[in-house]
Amino acid sequence: MTPLAQRFGPWLRARMAELDPVLLATLGVLSLVGLATLYSAASDHPGRFGEQVRNYALAGVIMMVFAGLSPRMLKRLALPVYSIGLVLLAAVLVAGVSVKGAQRWLDLGVFRIQPAEIMKLGVPMMLAWYFDRREGIARRTDFAVAGLLVLLPVALIARQPDLGTALLVLAAGFFVIFFAGLPWIWLGLMVSGVLAMLPVAWMLMHDYQRNRILTLVDPMSDPLGKGFHTLQAMIAIGSGGVFGKGWMQGTQTHLEFIPERTSDFIFAVYSEEFGLVGNLVLLILLLVVVARALAIAHQAATPFTRLLAAAIALIIFTFAFVNMAMVSGILPVVGVPLPFISYGGTALVTLGMACGMLMCVQRNRKLVQM
């Protein structure tokens, strides 16, 4: 046995013993599905497959690290993660790297990060911490403060502009507020307010964002321009049929008709090659992750862990739903990756953190208090 194995072997075995077996097995299958799909989608970019293997490995290590933390430590991390995320979002507006017309990345020399991804967990962690401190005495002002804690990062993300991620962070925060006991009358007022603000939101949108919504209504109005993404993805999904064309046999994929086929539109690649049956398998796998996360939330020992686990469950569900609906032409194109499948280091690391937190909550479910 090498010195490296002697040093890290016991630590690795201890961490593996702490992982939830159902969640771990499902994530393992999803990772293999993601790698197989990416290998086909990135056949003309061979370097991306190796990078994604590295991303999965890094996400796995981070998952094990977070699984080994105590709920008390997760709670202590909430405020720093949220605060650092806000600082990084502000830094993006000042010194961010512009990619395809959007300033969303920070170049740290060795690698780039997308701070908006951090806030997908930073916001629910912060809100879970906030409501945990007010268990049993949450008042109207507390819900108002929670709303401000959500709207601040959402505004910074929307300014990049990244409307898709801003809406997802908003949804992540809303899930925690809802589970914390948001009165139904407040929920009704919020929905009414959102509907009333739609005309204002339309005027504040960039031209390309308006075009995405208009294209959703009639993609054939500009089939070679604004509607190209949606039409080609829908053709790929439909051409897959019941059983698909077979791995590496997708014509829309390998003739390069599907744009962003390794990231946001990888579901179109998967659908073309594995068909309806493959889609059902993928849906079942994702639903198992969501169901297991909800079960963990139900068994959680404290308000903080319960709110955090429930929010993570619905975050994963929302991301998967939005991506599949976007690629299928049901929702506008908003640039949301498919969880555990799409290419991308920051998104995978964030998911690894989220799943590690779920396993931490599950491991400490019998605790009475933190």
Side-chain angles (χ1 to χ4, degrees), residues 34 37-46 48-49 52 100 253 258-269 323 337-338 341-344:
T37 307
L38 182 70
Y39 186 85
S40 178
S43 57
D44 56 338
H45 296 90
R48 289 199 171 182
F49 180 79
Q52 189 73 339
K100 297 182 180 180
T253 300
I258 303 176
E260 304 296 338
R261 58 188 177 276
T262 61
S263 53
D264 296 344
F265 281 79
I266 198 169
F267 180 63
V269 177
N323 177 272
L338 183 59
I341 306 296
S342 292
Y343 170 83

Side-chain angles (χ1 to χ4, degrees), residues 65-151:
V65 170
F66 272 81
L69 297 178
S70 66
R72 184 188 296 272
M73 179 57 68
L74 284 183
K75 193 174 177 180
R76 289 178 177 174
L77 286 174
L79 184 58
V81 170
Y82 179 84
S83 303
I84 293 172
L86 282 182
V87 171
L88 293 177
L89 285 177
V92 167
L93 298 180
V94 177
V97 177
S98 182
V99 178
K100 297 182 180 180
Q103 193 168 315
R104 304 172 183 174
W105 298 82
L106 273 181
D107 192 342
L108 302 182
V110 180
F111 54 87
R112 291 180 179 179
I113 63 170
Q114 190 174 1
E117 291 289 334
I118 298 174
M119 298 310 287
K120 291 178 181 178
L121 280 182
V123 167
M125 287 179 69
M126 180 65 186
L127 292 178
W129 172 84
Y130 178 77
F131 282 112
D132 181 81
R133 294 170 63 89
R134 285 153 180 79
E135 173 67 6
I137 57 171
R139 296 165 296 195
R140 294 179 181 178
T141 53
D142 294 324
F143 289 109
V145 171
L148 292 175
L149 291 173
V150 177
L151 292 178

Side-chain angles (χ1 to χ4, degrees), residues 227-239 252 257-259 265 267-269 271-272 326-329:
F228 185 79
H229 287 62
T230 302
L231 285 174
Q232 295 304 318
M234 291 171 66
I235 291 171
I237 293 172
S239 65
Q252 291 293 112
F257 282 104
I258 303 176
F265 281 79
F267 180 63
V269 177
S271 297
E272 183 183 25
M326 172 190 78
V327 176
S328 303

Side-chain angles (χ1 to χ4, degrees), residues 157-182:
I157 296 170
R159 182 69 180 80
Q160 295 179 356
D162 189 353
L163 183 59
T165 303
L167 291 175
L168 292 177
V169 172
L170 180 64
F174 170 77
F175 293 145
V176 180
I177 294 174
F178 177 77
F179 285 123
L182 178 69

